[in-house]
């Protein structure tokens, strides 16, 4: 099968001499383990992550203290309060998992002569080496300049979760966009109902705050909800489309030729969210169990 220019630029013969292992320092003695919490020390990403949580807390404040607590209908307040707070909790939990889960980082600095020789490579085979982090790069892995690591099935680096979206945390990122879109839609509906109620009743009785303060808080929440609804809904749809087609954002951008076997859209969903289908797909606390959903099935 003919390789694309993007693939040929990354191909090296699987021989230690061509990989220049002497240019790579030995890997650190202590490597990242599954028990360690993954966190990227990037100033922009940390600020964006903090802003995300503050905006959710602002929405919580307005929904609970401006709209629900002053409402006369107790059942309305309890129902909407439970739904909004539950979705907000799942959104923040998904954000935390997406931010603090290793997205699929390749061991750094393993392109050493000893490691390459231990692979027992056959003549004519190819291997990928990243010149930036001196790692043997698996198929479909790309280097992230922010994380300073090669990431398996890297889709993109998202500053709002201060992490790459890759093989191991894409589920949590998709859930984050979905739950943010849902609470944004829910907040917009409650704002619209609250405005209708306040126009029909006395503004002084529809909130614990003064009428001007109430209007300002609701307008800002409306603007925030509309902005985040559009952004996260589009991102959610883009991610689902990418997962179903088994093609990451970077692979689409670079127009890389598919070297892996084509699977059904349903199987591609199981690769990301777990096998078999269950309610755990919607939980940010459930780590995907791939089971029969093979991560890599390549054309040979």
């Amino acid at each position: 099968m003919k390789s694309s220019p993007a693939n040929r630029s990354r191909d090296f013969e699987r021989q230690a001499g061509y990989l220049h292992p002497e240019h790579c320092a030995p890997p650190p003695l202590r490597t990242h383990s599954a028990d360690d919490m993954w966190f990227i020390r990037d100033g922009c990403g940390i600020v964006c992550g903090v802003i995300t949580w503050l905006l959710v807390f602002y929405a919580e404040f307005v929904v609970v203290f401006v709209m629900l607590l002053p409402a006369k209908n107790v059942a309305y307040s309890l129902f909407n309060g439970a739904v909004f707070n539950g979705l907000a909790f799942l959104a923040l939990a998904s954000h935390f998992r997406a931010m603090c889960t290793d997205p699929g980082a390749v061991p750094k600095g393993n392109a050493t002569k000893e490691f390459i020789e231990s692979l027992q490579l056959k003549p004519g085979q190819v291997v990928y080496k990243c010149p930036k982090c001196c790692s043997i790069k698996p198929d479909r892995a790309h280097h992230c300049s922010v994380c300073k690591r090669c990431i398996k099935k890297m889709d993109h680096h998202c500053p709002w979760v201060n992490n790459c979206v890759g093989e191991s945390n894409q589920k949590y990122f998709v859930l984050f966009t979905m739950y943010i879109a849902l609470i944004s839609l829910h907040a917009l509906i409650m704002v619209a109902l609250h405005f209708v109620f306040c126009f029909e009743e006395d503004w002084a009785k529809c909130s614990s705050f003064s009428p001007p303060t109430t209007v300002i808080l609701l307008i800002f929440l409306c603007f925030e909800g509309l902005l985040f609804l559009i952004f996260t809904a589009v991102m959610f749809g883009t991610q689902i489309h990418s997962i179903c087609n088994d093609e990451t954002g970077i692979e689409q951008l670079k127009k890389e030729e598919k070297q892996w076997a084509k699977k059904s859209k349903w199987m591609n969903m199981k690769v990301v969210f777990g096998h078999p289908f269950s309610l755990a797909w919607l939980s940010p606390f459930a780590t995907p169990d791939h089971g029969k959903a093979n991560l890599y099935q390549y054309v040979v």
Side-chain angles (χ1 to χ4, degrees):
M1 182 177 291
K2 187 178 179 181
S3 297
S4 64
N7 282 335
R8 285 200 301 267
S9 65
R10 301 194 310 153
D11 288 355
F12 295 90
E13 287 294 327
R14 285 194 168 185
Q15 296 181 15
Y18 291 156
L19 290 173
H20 303 291
E22 66 276 3
H23 297 163
C24 296
L29 296 177
R30 185 181 184 275
T31 57
H32 178 78
S33 65
D35 297 329
D36 296 332
M37 186 174 72
W38 175 274
F39 186 77
I40 301 300
R41 293 175 177 82
D42 175 59
C44 176
I46 294 174
V47 170
C48 289
V50 171
I51 290 176
T52 301
W53 281 63
L54 290 178
L55 288 174
V56 173
F57 288 146
Y58 171 79
E60 282 272 359
F61 170 78
V62 177
V63 167
V64 173
F65 292 98
V66 177
M67 292 189 289
L68 295 183
L69 287 182
K72 297 178 180 179
N73 191 327
V74 178
Y76 172 86
S77 298
L78 290 176
F79 174 77
N80 284 283
V83 171
F84 186 85
N85 283 280
L87 292 175
F89 173 76
L90 291 173
L92 293 179
S94 300
H95 182 274
F96 181 82
R97 291 299 303 272
M99 178 173 59
C100 296
T101 298
D102 183 346
V106 179
K108 194 173 184 179
N110 65 352
T112 60
K113 183 177 180 180
E114 293 76 12
F115 180 75
I116 296 169
E117 291 176 346
S118 69
L119 297 177
Q120 298 180 350
L121 306 172
K122 298 178 181 179
Q125 290 181 316
V126 294
V127 73
Y128 307 139
K129 173 205 168 184
C130 177
K132 298 178 181 179
C133 60
C134 280
S135 299
I136 298 298
K137 184 182 293 185
D139 295 316
R140 307 188 69 182
H142 293 84
H143 185 84
C144 175
S145 57
V146 179
C147 297
K148 296 180 174 57
R149 298 286 291 274
C150 284
I151 307 297
K152 300 175 185 176
K153 290 185 68 175
M154 175 181 170
D155 186 85
H156 69 287
H157 184 93
C158 179
W160 294 105
V161 297
N162 188 34
N163 201 1
C164 275
V165 178
E167 174 183 289
S168 301
N169 70 339
Q170 189 172 23
K171 170 193 172 180
Y172 309 124
F173 179 77
V174 173
L175 290 181
F176 167 66
T177 59
M178 182 183 73
Y179 287 127
I180 288 293
L182 288 177
I183 65 173
S184 299
L185 178 62
H186 191 197
L188 288 173
I189 293 174
M190 286 191 290
V191 168
L193 293 176
H194 199 73
F195 267 117
V196 171
F197 170 75
C198 289
F199 279 125
E200 293 178 351
E201 301 290 336
D202 185 3
W203 272 89
K205 297 180 181 179
C206 71
S207 175
S208 303
F209 299 88
S210 64
T213 303
T214 300
V215 171
I216 292 174
L217 292 173
L218 292 177
I219 290 178
F220 188 81
L221 177 61
C222 187
F223 175 76
E224 175 193 345
L226 185 61
L227 183 65
F228 271 82
L229 174 61
I230 295 174
F231 177 76
T232 54
V234 170
M235 182 59 71
F236 175 77
T238 302
Q239 286 290 303
I240 294 297
H241 179 268
S242 175
I243 292 171
C244 290
N245 291 333
D246 193 18
E247 190 175 23
T248 66
I250 291 182
E251 290 167 349
Q252 294 176 13
L253 184 64
K254 292 186 175 182
K255 294 180 169 53
E256 295 183 359
E257 185 177 355
K258 291 186 177 181
Q259 302 291 331
W260 51 94
K262 184 178 180 180
K263 301 187 291 290
S264 67
K265 290 180 171 58
W266 186 240
M267 182 58 71
N268 290 331
M269 291 288 288
K270 290 180 179 179
V271 168
V272 174
F273 291 95
H275 181 89
F277 170 76
S278 67
L279 290 178
W281 280 26
L282 302 177
S283 172
F285 304 102
T287 302
D289 180 13
H290 302 292
K292 297 180 181 179
N294 193 357
L295 287 175
Y296 301 102
Q297 294 176 343
Y298 293 99
V299 176
V300 293

